[in-house]
Amino acid sequence: MMTTQVPRRPWLQRWHVKPIGWTLVILILLVASSRMTGVDVGMFFNNLGQFTDLLVRMSQPAWDYLPVILHPLYETIQMAILGTTIGATFAVPFAVLAASNLVHNRWLRGIIRLMLDLVRTLPDLLLAAIFVAIFGIGSTAGVVTLAIFSFGMVSKLFYEVIETIDMGPLEALESVGANKLTIIWYAVLPQIMNQFVSYFLYTLEFNVRASTVLGYLGAGGIGVFLQRSLNEFNYSQTAVIILATLVVVMAIDGISNHLRRVLL
Amino acid sequence: MDKTPIISFKNVNKVYDNGTVGLKNINFEIPQGEFLVVVGLSGAGKSTLLRTINRMHEITSGEIRVEGESIKAYKGRSLRLLRRKIGMIFQNFNLVKRSSVAKNVLSGRVSYYATWQSILGLFSATDKQKAVQALQRVSLAEKLYARADELSGGQQQRVAIARTLMQDPKIILADEPIASLDPLTTKTVMDILKRLNQEDGITVIVNLHSVALAREYADRIVGLRAGEVVYDEPIADVTEADLNRVYQTV
Amino acid sequence: MQTTISKKPATLTLWRRWNWLLWIAIVAVIYTWAITGLHFTGLQESAASVSRSIVHGLVQPDWPYVYNGSGEDLVSLILQTLAIAFLGTIISSLISVPFAFWAARGGKEWLHVRSGSGKVVLTLIRTFPEIVLAIMFIKAVGPGSYAGVLAVSIHSIGMLGKLFSEAIENMDRGADEAITSAGGNSAQIFMLATLPTIMPEFISYTLYRFEIAVRSASILGMVGAGGIGTPMIFAIQTRNWPRVGIILLGIVLMVLLIDTLSEQLRKRLI
């Protein structure tokens, strides 16, 4: 027994090819990335003075600015609500078309999904910049941006929900010869309504956060004031805006989380 | 067989924070080298009883002695040394599923190493050989470099036993070791435990659901009901009718 | 069953039967408030013609911009964007680990003071707008991708810390228990059981976060924090629609590629 030899392992494992390979890849990427981005730890610490100065000024919020930003804050929430609603409404038919258990035409489904994937690649601020160019400065651009952004997000969440439904009631209706719309209305919708509302609220949370910065590019809401205060180096105003935004976002999150827990 | 008790319970009580009674006035001794099976319904306190021996659970009052020494005051290093001589086998095997069998087995040896050595995986060549030997004892040496989650349930439990052997334990506690296994692998695992008991003289304490298995492997059977010892007989005196009392509802 | 239902107090049934009306009223009030509150005035008359030129620019993108060797072309800046996202995500994933253990709910801790405070901090970080972070870091290190890296690293902690801490809360503690029972100390338990168990999930979440960081990094340039965003906003402001078209195409392809790659890797991990 004492002469037991440790069995030889395959050379891939013996020389740790995989872990070493991955470590090398990541190291190379890290070095390349830091060269490309000019990351320099020293520079950060050299300029630490300016950074702390900024933090100090932000730590003294100008509370008298609060009444000024109340209206834009409301506007931000209103934009989020409208944008999410419009986006979600448009998302429903597309979600149905993209669901593999409802649409058996593989081509149609593939095209719809590709389209949804493409919509989802666009970052919200980029959309905002384009729509500000089209619609001009104001909340219209914001609402349209949020609508498109939520359309991409909601449609994917929705079709994934639809694909998990119980097909029993559907087949029952199909067997008595009901048409597609009737089937969706009576057999699909009741099963997914709660999940839909829950995801709608989740997207709304997300959009409230997003809408606070859209204004930075002129798409309405509190972001307009954020940009103004930053441009004027008025950091005590910036601080008030950020704190107020935090309160609003957390309040919406709280309400929405509570509703979602009740729903599911 | 040496009959000095390796473990003794004296007036042991355990009450949970929420007031539930876990163990009630436990009094018995386990001689060295015994194969003891604890039976009882789930929730009867079998698992709690087992875990009080290596202080994975604390007791509320009473005294537990291991090798004649009260374990109550142990902490830090002395507690780890107590745990080192008591191996433990679990219902869910408790392996690191995505690590290799070798790593899992070697991890049983941690308490023999300084922290920095073990966390860097610097196990000695002797211990690597020891790991192979441990795996040979459970007939799994060829799986040394496989990933734990590539193995079947029964094989994973055998790896867990090999891991325990790395501790050079004097006692093995097995908490429902076969509850997640099929009948065939059940026999393999129980046979291994029995062999360790007979060949190495390790004291083995096993929690089981199945009375039939208990009668097949045990030297002695202890029955628990609602945290109390309601039955305690050497295997020669065990009868079916007696055992059924353990499973009566209170 | 039938009898138990009918025995319920009448008030409850009444409430049950009519509370949807209350919900409809609430929703109606909210929507009225939202619609009347916004001003959709000031629509530019040029909207239609601008849209037309955008579409025109999209179908006839500025191909020569793809690569011209100046280092300011599409390919270089896309690579720079990826570099910002990659570096930021890696730094953030390292910082997130201690945050995650701070915010993860432990066993029988009284009122969860520790994890509660950690969760609040993570929420604060998550809610703090990334753009503002970028602007703050621009003050510290000047405009450019370095500021972008810092912004992504800090902002991502909010989400990664949360995901990591949830992974810790839901992880299988079995291996921990085994090493404890073998006499390991807490450092050994962490390094030999906790970390190897949780690592694949951490990596998977980090990849997921990288997908999001790529999107962030492509817009941070709009405020001057490096990457493809800078030429994008410049092209939009100068109405250079063919340039906008090619950059959009670049971003879409980059994101699609990264999403697919990362999804494949994540599938293999778990």
Side-chain angles (χ1 to χ4, degrees):
Chain A
M1 280 299 263
M2 288 317 287
T3 55
T4 317
Q5 282 302 305
V6 178
R8 292 181 64 83
R9 39 184 154 172
W11 72 271
L12 262 180
Q13 228 182 20
R14 211 160 116 86
W15 301 104
H16 304 282
V17 173
K18 257 193 184 174
I20 290 177
W22 277 113
T23 316
L24 269 180
V25 168
I26 288 175
L27 274 181
I28 291 170
L29 285 176
L30 272 180
V31 171
S33 308
S34 20
R35 294 189 114 195
M36 211 177 284
T37 52
V39 166
D40 175 0
V41 182
M43 187 154 82
F44 181 74
F45 286 102
N46 286 340
N47 290 308
L48 205 59
Q50 282 193 36
F51 190 69
T52 42
D53 175 54
L54 192 151
L55 282 182
V56 168
R57 283 162 69 186
M58 279 185 82
S59 64
Q60 299 151 339
W63 291 115
D64 52 337
Y65 191 56
L66 196 57
V68 184
I69 58 167
L70 275 185
H71 187 259
L73 263 178
Y74 294 150
E75 197 184 52
T76 299
I77 304 173
Q78 289 162 339
M79 275 163 48
I81 292 177
L82 279 192
T84 316
T85 310
I86 297 171
T89 313
F90 280 101
V92 172
F94 282 90
V96 170
L97 288 177
S100 59
N101 51 350
L102 296 185
V103 173
H104 301 298
N105 183 336
R106 200 153 17 113
W107 284 100
L108 175 63
R109 211 170 66 220
I111 290 169
I112 298 275
R113 283 201 186 185
L114 180 69
M115 208 195 83
L116 296 179
D117 280 346
L118 286 177
V119 172
R120 263 201 315 282
T121 57
L122 296 172
D124 44 7
L125 269 178
L126 203 137
L127 287 172
I130 293 174
F131 286 118
V132 167
I134 297 178
F135 294 113
I137 289 173
S139 44
T140 314
V143 172
V144 176
T145 301
L146 291 173
I148 293 189
F149 191 73
S150 8
F151 169 76
M153 186 164 160
V154 171
S155 52
K156 177 160 198 223
L157 292 170
F158 277 13
Y159 83 66
E160 281 172 355
V161 171
I162 297 177
E163 288 185 343
T164 62
I165 62 171
D166 171 19
M167 296 299 281
L170 237 111
E171 279 154 14
L173 276 179
E174 236 166 33
S175 69
V176 297
N179 67 30
K180 279 261 170 198
L181 275 180
T182 323
I183 291 175
I184 289 171
W185 186 259
Y186 287 102
V188 181
L189 269 185
Q191 290 193 52
I192 52 179
M193 214 45 211
N194 281 5
Q195 294 242 359
F196 269 24
V197 177
S198 163
Y199 279 137
F200 174 82
L201 288 169
Y202 174 73
T203 312
L204 182 67
E205 282 175 45
F206 200 93
N207 278 346
V208 171
R209 279 166 211 258
S211 63
T212 57
V213 291
L214 289 185
Y216 195 90
L217 296 172
I222 189 74
V224 177
F225 289 75
L226 187 68
Q227 194 246 7
R228 194 175 298 164
S229 70
L230 282 166
N231 270 4
E232 293 166 356
F233 305 109
N234 207 333
Y235 299 119
S236 43
Q237 288 185 355
T238 312
V240 175
I241 296 174
I242 290 176
L243 286 175
T245 316
L246 276 177
V247 171
V248 169
V249 168
M250 285 188 176
I252 301 270
D253 277 13
I255 297 171
S256 151
N257 271 328
H258 175 75
L259 284 177
R260 288 202 284 145
R261 225 169 314 175
V262 172
L263 274 167
L264 295 178
Chain B
M1 207 177 280
D2 185 1
K3 284 293 178 192
T4 50
I6 189 164
I7 301 166
S8 66
F9 290 86
K10 212 170 160 192
N11 304 323
V12 170
N13 284 286
K14 159 116 188 155
V15 184
Y16 285 99
D17 290 340
N18 60 16
T20 329
V21 175
L23 296 174
K24 206 158 139 195
N25 201 25
I26 305 279
N27 277 296
F28 70 97
E29 293 179 343
I30 304 169
Q32 185 159 1
E34 189 166 66
F35 196 108
L36 176 77
V37 173
V38 183
V39 296
L41 292 166
S42 44
K46 302 192 298 280
S47 193
T48 312
L49 180 77
L50 216 65
R51 282 172 163 75
T52 57
I53 300 173
N54 61 359
R55 291 264 306 272
M56 300 286 279
H57 278 185
E58 299 295 340
I59 55 174
T60 317
S61 65
E63 189 185 57
I64 298 174
R65 286 172 173 272
V66 173
E67 293 189 307
E69 236 185 288
S70 170
I71 62 170
K72 191 182 267 171
Y74 288 157
K75 56 174 177 258
R77 175 131 189 92
S78 55
L79 178 59
R80 294 201 296 275
L81 286 178
L82 167 79
R83 285 177 177 161
R84 174 158 100 187
K85 61 187 175 200
I86 306 176
M88 192 157 192
I89 314 282
F90 308 85
Q91 174 179 344
N92 298 316
F93 329 132
N94 291 358
L95 302 175
V96 178
K97 294 197 178 57
R98 286 149 177 142
S99 289
S100 69
V101 168
K103 272 189 189 154
N104 271 296
V105 174
L106 278 167
S107 73
R109 195 82 186 154
V110 277
S111 53
Y112 290 89
Y113 282 87
T115 307
W116 67 271
Q117 280 176 317
S118 57
I119 64 179
L120 290 177
L122 300 175
F123 294 99
S124 70
T126 331
D127 279 341
K128 283 180 186 161
Q129 279 224 346
K130 194 178 166 66
V132 176
Q133 282 164 16
L135 278 170
Q136 278 172 345
R137 298 212 57 185
V138 298
S139 327
L140 275 179
E142 77 281 4
K143 297 287 185 193
L144 186 63
Y145 299 115
R147 249 171 59 148
D149 56 3
E150 290 166 0
L151 306 183
S152 71
Q155 289 174 327
Q156 289 192 34
Q157 190 62 293
R158 280 144 68 193
V159 171
I161 294 175
R163 174 177 63 190
T164 291
L165 286 178
M166 295 298 283
Q167 293 169 236
D168 290 326
K170 294 185 174 156
I171 302 166
I172 289 182
L173 310 173
D175 188 18
E176 303 275 3
I178 44 112
S180 336
L181 304 179
D182 59 69
L184 204 75
T185 41
T186 289
K187 188 172 157 35
T188 323
V189 168
M190 288 305 291
D191 284 344
I192 291 173
L193 288 176
K194 188 74 185 173
R195 216 170 52 233
L196 294 177
N197 171 248
Q198 286 172 342
E199 290 173 5
D200 302 34
I202 299 174
T203 309
V204 177
I205 303 159
V206 187
N207 282 347
L208 285 182
H209 255 88
S210 148
V211 171
L213 272 177
R215 294 185 65 181
E216 192 180 338
Y217 288 96
D219 295 335
R220 169 184 171 200
I221 296 181
V222 166
L224 278 188
R225 195 170 64 208
E228 273 184 289
V229 175
V230 292
Y231 188 84
D232 183 356
E233 296 288 344
I235 194 68
D237 301 343
V238 171
T239 65
E240 189 90 28
D242 278 348
L243 266 179
N244 285 338
R245 283 193 327 199
V246 178
Y247 288 93
Q248 277 164 8
T249 40
V250 191
Chain C
M1 278 304 280
Q2 286 298 318
T3 48
T4 46
I5 287 171
S6 60
K7 265 184 197 163
K8 274 184 183 163
T11 46
L12 188 72
T13 352
L14 206 66
W15 167 246
R16 283 248 171 103
R17 194 174 297 167
W18 295 107
N19 73 350
W20 60 273
L21 265 181
L22 178 72
W23 281 110
I24 287 195
I26 292 175
V27 170
V29 168
I30 290 176
Y31 276 103
T32 317
W33 174 72
I35 293 169
T36 53
L38 291 178
H39 307 285
F40 293 105
T41 51
L43 266 186
Q44 294 188 132
E45 284 156 30
S46 58
S49 68
V50 172
S51 315
R52 229 173 295 130
S53 24
I54 290 180
V55 174
H56 187 73
L58 282 174
V59 284
Q60 286 184 313
D62 179 7
W63 290 113
Y65 180 66
V66 172
Y67 184 77
N68 56 27
S70 66
E72 297 294 319
D73 49 53
L74 184 67
V75 171
S76 321
L77 286 170
I78 290 263
L79 285 178
Q80 195 184 56
T81 306
L82 288 175
I84 294 172
F86 181 75
L87 212 54
T89 311
I90 295 275
I91 296 173
S92 165
S93 67
L94 296 179
I95 311 177
S96 295
V97 174
F99 272 94
F101 280 94
W102 176 18
R105 196 171 282 202
K108 46 185 172 182
E109 182 195 339
W110 182 74
L111 269 180
H112 306 292
V113 179
R114 173 183 56 80
S115 72
S117 62
K119 285 191 163 78
V120 169
V121 169
L122 288 177
T123 311
L124 288 177
I125 298 177
R126 205 162 56 243
T127 316
F128 199 97
E130 198 170 15
I131 289 209
V132 179
L133 266 181
I135 292 165
M136 288 169 69
F137 283 123
I138 286 175
K139 303 281 176 219
V141 299
S145 28
Y146 187 12
V149 171
L150 291 172
V152 171
S153 335
I154 301 301
H155 184 73
S156 307
I157 295 173
M159 183 180 176
L160 270 184
K162 178 171 187 262
L163 290 173
F164 283 6
S165 74
E166 283 167 0
I168 295 168
E169 282 171 9
N170 300 328
M171 77 178 275
D172 176 12
R173 295 263 164 204
D176 284 23
E177 200 185 11
I179 302 298
T180 314
S181 76
N185 61 32
S186 40
Q188 291 169 326
I189 295 168
F190 181 77
M191 292 300 291
L192 290 167
T194 314
L195 215 53
T197 306
I198 204 84
M199 211 49 192
E201 258 166 286
F202 278 11
I203 296 176
S204 163
Y205 283 139
T206 306
L207 276 168
Y208 172 65
R209 180 65 219 189
F210 176 62
E211 293 172 33
I212 298 174
V214 169
R215 290 169 167 83
S216 304
S218 63
I219 52 177
L220 283 180
M222 294 185 164
V223 298
I228 192 68
T230 312
M232 180 74 183
I233 194 78
F234 188 69
I236 292 177
Q237 276 163 359
T238 56
R239 303 282 192 256
N240 185 349
W241 301 117
R243 178 66 58 90
V244 173
I246 193 73
I247 295 177
L248 263 182
L249 203 67
I251 293 179
V252 167
L253 283 180
M254 167 183 75
V255 173
L256 272 185
L257 184 77
I258 294 293
D259 279 11
T260 322
L261 254 170
S262 149
E263 212 169 296
Q264 289 301 323
L265 279 176
R266 284 195 282 137
K267 248 183 227 159
R268 269 204 239 164
L269 266 169
I270 293 203

